[in-house]
Amino acid sequence: MSILRWVGRNHKGKNGEALYPGGDDAELSYEIDSLCETLGDQTSLFVCFLFEQVPGYKDKDEHFTQWIVKHFPKFLAGLEERLAKGTRYLCSDNMTIADIAVGSLFFRMVYNDSYENCHIMQAVVNKYPKVVAWMEIMKNDFEETLKNGLQSAR
């Protein structure tokens, strides 16, 4: 999390905004940190069905079923609630590191045709219209990266 904060403090969004305001806006920083911690909780659950190196991977189908039925909908409901406040992004009207961190989960599993369960994930996400709308914004914001892949910053 600390490296993500550092990146957010030292690199600006496309409109020149801070991706992580730190002491300049303690309340927004708290919102960002809170959401990133929630994502961290989810990460500990989904690694068991994504990565062969994880001990729980041998029961990956059971872990996926538990996550998609129990944990992922709760996570999505929390995102939907945040977005119901009327902001364009998860924590504010500008993109933050929280959007990048959570968006990466969606790009990795939900909107990734090479992931075997993406159609199941999309069906669950589609029950949350504000999350779907937010991800459309994120897909637009990252259109070049999604089309061309990550490029080295040389």
Coordinates of all heavy atoms in Angstrom, one line a residue, residues 30-67:
Y30 N -8.4 9.1 3.7 CA -9.0 8.1 4.5 C -9.9 7.2 3.7 O -9.9 6.0 3.8 CB -9.8 8.7 5.7 CG -10.7 7.7 6.4 CD1 -10.1 6.8 7.3 CD2 -12.0 7.6 6.1 CE1 -10.9 5.8 7.9 CE2 -12.8 6.6 6.7 CZ -12.3 5.7 7.6 OH -13.0 4.8 8.2
E31 N -10.8 7.8 2.8 CA -11.7 7.1 1.9 C -10.9 6.2 1.0 O -11.3 5.0 0.8 CB -12.6 8.0 1.1 CG -13.6 8.8 2.0 CD -14.6 7.9 2.6 OE1 -15.0 6.9 1.9 OE2 -15.0 8.2 3.7
I32 N -9.8 6.7 0.4 CA -9.0 5.9 -0.5 C -8.3 4.7 0.3 O -8.4 3.6 -0.2 CB -7.9 6.8 -1.1 CG1 -8.5 7.8 -2.0 CG2 -6.9 5.9 -1.8 CD1 -7.6 9.0 -2.4
D33 N -7.8 5.0 1.4 CA -7.1 3.9 2.2 C -8.1 2.9 2.6 O -7.8 1.7 2.6 CB -6.5 4.5 3.5 CG -5.2 5.3 3.2 OD1 -4.7 5.2 2.1 OD2 -4.8 6.1 4.1
S34 N -9.3 3.3 3.0 CA -10.3 2.4 3.5 C -10.7 1.4 2.3 O -10.8 0.2 2.5 CB -11.6 3.1 4.0 OG -12.6 2.3 4.3
L35 N -10.9 2.0 1.2 CA -11.3 1.1 0.0 C -10.1 0.2 -0.4 O -10.4 -1.0 -0.7 CB -11.7 2.0 -1.2 CG -12.3 1.3 -2.4 CD1 -13.4 0.3 -2.0 CD2 -12.7 2.3 -3.4
C36 N -8.9 0.7 -0.3 CA -7.8 -0.2 -0.7 C -7.6 -1.3 0.3 O -7.3 -2.4 0.0 CB -6.5 0.7 -0.8 SG -6.4 1.7 -2.3
E37 N -7.9 -1.0 1.6 CA -7.9 -2.1 2.6 C -9.0 -3.1 2.4 O -8.7 -4.3 2.5 CB -8.0 -1.5 4.0 CG -6.8 -0.8 4.5 CD -6.9 -0.2 5.9 OE1 -7.8 -0.6 6.6 OE2 -6.1 0.7 6.2
T38 N -10.1 -2.7 2.0 CA -11.2 -3.6 1.6 C -10.8 -4.5 0.4 O -11.1 -5.7 0.4 CB -12.5 -2.8 1.3 OG1 -12.9 -2.0 2.4 CG2 -13.7 -3.7 0.9
L39 N -10.2 -3.9 -0.5 CA -9.7 -4.6 -1.7 C -8.7 -5.7 -1.2 O -8.7 -6.8 -1.7 CB -9.1 -3.7 -2.7 CG -8.5 -4.4 -3.9 CD1 -9.5 -5.2 -4.7 CD2 -7.8 -3.4 -4.9
G40 N -7.8 -5.3 -0.3 CA -6.8 -6.2 0.3 C -7.5 -7.4 0.9 O -7.0 -8.6 0.8
D41 N -8.6 -7.2 1.6 CA -9.4 -8.3 2.2 C -9.9 -9.2 1.1 O -9.9 -10.5 1.3 CB -10.5 -7.8 3.0 CG -10.1 -7.0 4.2 OD1 -8.9 -7.1 4.7 OD2 -10.9 -6.2 4.8
Q42 N -10.4 -8.7 0.0 CA -10.9 -9.5 -1.1 C -9.7 -10.3 -1.8 O -9.9 -11.4 -2.1 CB -11.5 -8.6 -2.2 CG -12.8 -8.0 -1.7 CD -13.9 -9.0 -1.4 OE1 -14.2 -9.9 -2.2 NE2 -14.4 -8.9 -0.2
T43 N -8.6 -9.6 -1.9 CA -7.4 -10.2 -2.5 C -7.0 -11.5 -1.8 O -6.8 -12.5 -2.5 CB -6.2 -9.3 -2.5 OG1 -6.6 -8.1 -3.2 CG2 -5.0 -9.9 -3.2
S44 N -7.1 -11.5 -0.5 CA -6.7 -12.7 0.2 C -7.7 -13.9 0.0 O -7.4 -15.0 0.1 CB -6.7 -12.4 1.7 OG -8.0 -12.1 2.3
L45 N -8.9 -13.5 -0.5 CA -9.9 -14.6 -0.9 C -9.7 -15.1 -2.3 O -9.8 -16.3 -2.6 CB -11.3 -14.0 -0.7 CG -11.6 -13.6 0.8 CD1 -13.0 -12.9 0.8 CD2 -11.7 -14.8 1.7
F46 N -9.5 -14.2 -3.2 CA -9.5 -14.6 -4.6 C -8.1 -15.2 -5.1 O -8.1 -15.9 -6.1 CB -10.0 -13.6 -5.6 CG -9.3 -12.3 -5.8 CD1 -8.0 -12.3 -6.4 CD2 -9.8 -11.1 -5.3 CE1 -7.4 -11.1 -6.6 CE2 -9.1 -9.9 -5.5 CZ -7.9 -9.9 -6.2
V47 N -7.1 -14.9 -4.4 CA -5.8 -15.5 -4.8 C -5.9 -17.1 -4.7 O -5.1 -17.7 -5.4 CB -4.6 -15.0 -3.9 CG1 -4.3 -13.6 -4.1 CG2 -4.7 -15.4 -2.5
C48 N -6.8 -17.6 -3.9 CA -6.9 -19.1 -3.8 C -7.4 -19.7 -5.0 O -7.3 -20.9 -5.2 CB -7.8 -19.4 -2.6 SG -7.0 -19.0 -1.0
F49 N -8.0 -19.0 -5.9 CA -8.5 -19.6 -7.1 C -7.8 -19.0 -8.4 O -8.1 -19.4 -9.5 CB -10.0 -19.6 -7.3 CG -10.7 -18.2 -7.3 CD1 -10.7 -17.4 -8.4 CD2 -11.2 -17.7 -6.1 CE1 -11.3 -16.2 -8.4 CE2 -11.8 -16.5 -6.1 CZ -11.9 -15.7 -7.2
L50 N -6.9 -18.1 -8.2 CA -6.2 -17.5 -9.3 C -4.8 -18.0 -9.5 O -4.3 -18.1 -10.6 CB -6.2 -16.0 -9.2 CG -7.5 -15.2 -9.6 CD1 -7.2 -13.7 -9.4 CD2 -7.9 -15.6 -10.9
F51 N -4.1 -18.3 -8.4 CA -2.7 -18.5 -8.5 C -2.3 -19.9 -8.0 O -2.6 -20.3 -6.9 CB -1.9 -17.5 -7.7 CG -2.1 -16.1 -8.2 CD1 -2.9 -15.2 -7.4 CD2 -1.6 -15.6 -9.4 CE1 -3.2 -13.9 -7.9 CE2 -1.9 -14.4 -9.9 CZ -2.7 -13.5 -9.1
E52 N -1.7 -20.7 -8.9 CA -1.4 -22.1 -8.6 C -0.4 -22.2 -7.4 O -0.4 -23.2 -6.7 CB -0.7 -22.7 -9.8 CG -1.7 -22.9 -11.0 CD -1.0 -23.5 -12.2 OE1 0.0 -24.2 -12.0 OE2 -1.6 -23.3 -13.3
Q53 N 0.4 -21.2 -7.2 CA 1.4 -21.2 -6.1 C 0.7 -21.1 -4.7 O 1.4 -21.5 -3.7 CB 2.4 -20.0 -6.2 CG 3.1 -20.0 -7.5 CD 2.3 -19.1 -8.6 OE1 1.1 -19.0 -8.5 NE2 3.0 -18.6 -9.5
V54 N -0.5 -20.7 -4.6 CA -1.2 -20.6 -3.3 C -1.7 -21.9 -2.9 O -2.3 -22.7 -3.6 CB -2.4 -19.6 -3.5 CG1 -3.2 -19.5 -2.2 CG2 -1.8 -18.2 -3.9
P55 N -1.4 -22.3 -1.6 CA -1.8 -23.6 -1.1 C -3.3 -24.0 -1.3 O -3.6 -25.1 -1.6 CB -1.5 -23.5 0.4 CG -0.4 -22.5 0.5 CD -0.7 -21.5 -0.6
G56 N -4.2 -23.0 -1.2 CA -5.6 -23.3 -1.4 C -6.0 -23.6 -2.8 O -7.2 -23.9 -3.1
Y57 N -5.1 -23.4 -3.8 CA -5.5 -23.5 -5.2 C -6.0 -24.9 -5.6 O -6.8 -25.0 -6.5 CB -4.2 -23.2 -6.1 CG -4.6 -23.1 -7.6 CD1 -5.2 -22.0 -8.1 CD2 -4.2 -24.2 -8.4 CE1 -5.5 -21.9 -9.5 CE2 -4.5 -24.1 -9.8 CZ -5.1 -23.0 -10.3 OH -5.5 -23.0 -11.6
K58 N -5.6 -25.9 -4.8 CA -6.1 -27.3 -5.2 C -7.6 -27.3 -5.1 O -8.2 -28.2 -5.7 CB -5.4 -28.3 -4.3 CG -5.7 -28.2 -2.8 CD -4.9 -29.3 -2.1 CE -5.0 -29.2 -0.6 NZ -6.2 -28.9 0.1
D59 N -8.2 -26.5 -4.3 CA -9.7 -26.4 -4.1 C -10.2 -25.1 -4.8 O -11.1 -24.5 -4.3 CB -10.1 -26.4 -2.6 CG -9.6 -27.7 -1.9 OD1 -9.7 -28.8 -2.5 OD2 -9.1 -27.5 -0.8
K60 N -9.6 -24.8 -5.9 CA -9.9 -23.5 -6.6 C -11.4 -23.3 -6.9 O -12.0 -22.3 -6.8 CB -9.0 -23.2 -7.8 CG -9.4 -24.1 -9.0 CD -8.5 -23.6 -10.2 CE -9.0 -24.4 -11.4 NZ -8.8 -23.6 -12.6
D61 N -12.0 -24.4 -7.4 CA -13.4 -24.3 -7.8 C -14.3 -24.0 -6.6 O -15.2 -23.1 -6.6 CB -13.9 -25.5 -8.5 CG -13.3 -25.8 -9.8 OD1 -12.8 -24.8 -10.4 OD2 -13.2 -26.9 -10.3
E62 N -14.0 -24.6 -5.4 CA -14.8 -24.3 -4.2 C -14.5 -22.9 -3.7 O -15.5 -22.2 -3.3 CB -14.4 -25.3 -3.1 CG -15.1 -25.1 -1.8 CD -14.7 -26.1 -0.7 OE1 -14.4 -27.3 -1.1 OE2 -14.7 -25.7 0.4
H63 N -13.3 -22.4 -3.8 CA -12.9 -21.1 -3.4 C -13.6 -20.0 -4.3 O -14.2 -19.0 -3.8 CB -11.4 -20.8 -3.4 CG -10.7 -21.5 -2.3 ND1 -10.9 -21.3 -1.0 CD2 -9.8 -22.6 -2.4 CE1 -10.1 -22.0 -0.3 NE2 -9.5 -22.9 -1.1
F64 N -13.6 -20.3 -5.6 CA -14.3 -19.4 -6.6 C -15.8 -19.3 -6.3 O -16.4 -18.3 -6.2 CB -14.1 -19.8 -8.0 CG -14.8 -19.0 -9.0 CD1 -14.3 -17.7 -9.3 CD2 -16.0 -19.4 -9.6 CE1 -15.1 -16.9 -10.2 CE2 -16.7 -18.6 -10.4 CZ -16.2 -17.3 -10.7
T65 N -16.4 -20.5 -6.0 CA -17.8 -20.5 -5.8 C -18.2 -19.7 -4.5 O -19.1 -18.9 -4.5 CB -18.3 -22.0 -5.6 OG1 -18.0 -22.7 -6.8 CG2 -19.8 -22.0 -5.3
Q66 N -17.4 -19.9 -3.5 CA -17.6 -19.2 -2.2 C -17.5 -17.7 -2.5 O -18.3 -16.9 -2.0 CB -16.7 -19.6 -1.1 CG -17.0 -20.9 -0.5 CD -18.4 -20.8 0.3 OE1 -18.6 -19.9 1.1 NE2 -19.2 -21.7 0.0
W67 N -16.5 -17.3 -3.2 CA -16.2 -15.9 -3.4 C -17.3 -15.2 -4.3 O -17.8 -14.2 -4.0 CB -14.8 -15.7 -4.1 CG -14.4 -14.3 -4.1 CD1 -14.1 -13.5 -3.1 CD2 -14.3 -13.5 -5.3 NE1 -13.7 -12.2 -3.5 CE2 -13.9 -12.2 -4.9 CE3 -14.5 -13.7 -6.6 CZ2 -13.6 -11.1 -5.8 CZ3 -14.3 -12.6 -7.5 CH2 -13.8 -11.4 -7.1

